[in-house]
Amino acid sequence: AQSVTQPDIHITVSEGASLELRCNYSYGATPYLFWYVQSPGQGLQLLLKYFSGDTLVQGIKGFEAEFKRSQSSFNLRKPSVHWSDAAEYFCAVGARIQGAQKLVFGQGTRLTINP
Amino acid sequence: DAGVIQSPRHEVTEMGQEVTLRCKPISGHNSLFWYRQTMMRGLELLIYFNNNVPIDDSGMPEDRFSAKMPNASFSTLKIQPSEPRDSAVYFCASSFSGTVGNTIYFGEGSWLTVV
């Protein structure tokens, strides 16, 4: 069965500092991997996704993620965070079943930004 | 383009009452998902449909929960009777399943409180 682990429940960084959020997945086939962001009281917005090709993918808001098959990881990075990046971040793996693709999410990492 | 539209956005109801949550997917999308988000369990997939047909409802917690998709532009999630432990945010999401690595788009959520 597919699963996603986000080891860090809560991370605090200073504004302007670099950021890396960890994500490990378990999936038997080639994974489709996603990062979503959720601001308080809002739905989930897609930051970026990987399904083939270049293992370093660029997303919105200056985020990037690198797929490492050997480590079963898909870590999210940003070189310099802004106060507006404070939110909850979810990693997800897509599993295709009977013509439809469902997402299995990790528990999420809450990001706090210190001024 | 309109995104996934959910109603109501907020609902407070008494234990034992029937609750109906509604969802209008993005036009042209043929997969629809219902997720539940709680602090304790994170984001759980309850049920998903492909071309209006339920594919997997193994995430539906109990017989008190039911979901329907009578046509491509409308779905409901019903809880009858509701219980306090059903208090959560319920997200509807949709996607087009015809492409590899397709993005799943989320609505803003329905915030349910059962007292």
Side-chain angles (χ1 to χ4, degrees):
Chain A
Q2 313 84 22
S3 67
V4 175
T5 301
Q6 293 180 247
D8 305 305
I9 295 174
H10 187 199
I11 283 183
T12 300
V13 299
S14 298
E15 190 168 16
S18 63
L19 171 70
E20 182 168 27
L21 302 183
R22 296 183 291 164
C23 172
N24 293 97
Y25 68 89
S26 173
Y27 187 56
T30 299
Y32 304 140
L33 296 162
F34 304 78
W35 276 100
Y36 282 82
V37 61
Q38 183 182 28
S39 298
Q42 302 295 312
L44 281 76
Q45 181 184 22
L46 180 71
L47 282 176
L48 47 79
K49 64 182 179 182
Y50 168 82
F51 58 94
S52 68
D54 194 345
T55 56
L56 183 64
V57 294
Q58 303 296 320
I60 62 172
K61 305 185 182 187
F63 285 92
E64 67 178 26
E66 186 171 12
F67 169 57
K68 293 185 178 180
R69 185 186 299 274
S70 61
Q71 298 177 21
S72 298
S73 69
F74 189 56
N75 294 349
L76 181 71
R77 301 194 294 247
K78 186 170 184 177
S80 176
V81 298
H82 186 262
W83 63 266
S84 60
D85 293 324
E88 185 122 21
Y89 292 80
F90 293 92
C91 181
V93 62
R96 200 163 182 88
I97 299 174
Q98 296 187 43
Q101 177 180 270
K102 68 174 186 179
L103 290 179
V104 175
F105 285 91
Q107 282 293 97
T109 298
R110 179 152 39 102
L111 175 64
T112 299
I113 307 295
N114 281 337
Chain B
D1 286 340
V4 176
I5 299 172
Q6 293 186 244
S7 64
R9 286 296 316 278
H10 299 271
E11 177 145 351
V12 180
T13 191
E14 291 185 346
M15 182 174 62
Q17 295 298 305
E18 177 179 293
V19 174
T20 299
L21 307 178
R22 298 173 177 80
C23 176
K24 177 178 168 56
I26 293 173
S27 177
H29 284 186
N30 62 342
S31 290
L32 184 138
F33 309 82
W34 282 101
Y35 282 86
R36 179 172 68 176
Q37 185 179 35
T38 61
M39 289 290 291
M40 292 299 295
R41 301 175 68 90
L43 276 160
E44 303 172 276
L45 178 61
L46 300 179
I47 185 171
Y48 65 102
F49 297 83
N50 197 42
N51 296 321
N52 309 339
V53 176
I55 300 300
D56 183 356
D57 65 355
S58 60
M60 297 285 262
E62 300 172 32
D63 291 346
R64 298 184 296 106
F65 286 70
S66 63
K68 294 182 179 179
M69 192 165 187
N71 57 63
S73 58
F74 184 66
S75 177
T76 59
L77 178 67
K78 187 175 293 187
I79 309 172
Q80 167 63 20
S82 58
E83 297 182 2
R85 58 195 168 118
D86 302 330
S87 298
V89 185
Y90 291 82
F91 287 104
C92 178
S94 72
S95 71
F96 175 64
S97 65
T99 55
V100 171
N102 49 289
T103 297
I104 296 177
Y105 295 87
F106 284 76
E108 296 283 288
S110 291
W111 300 67
L112 174 65
T113 302
V114 183
V115 298

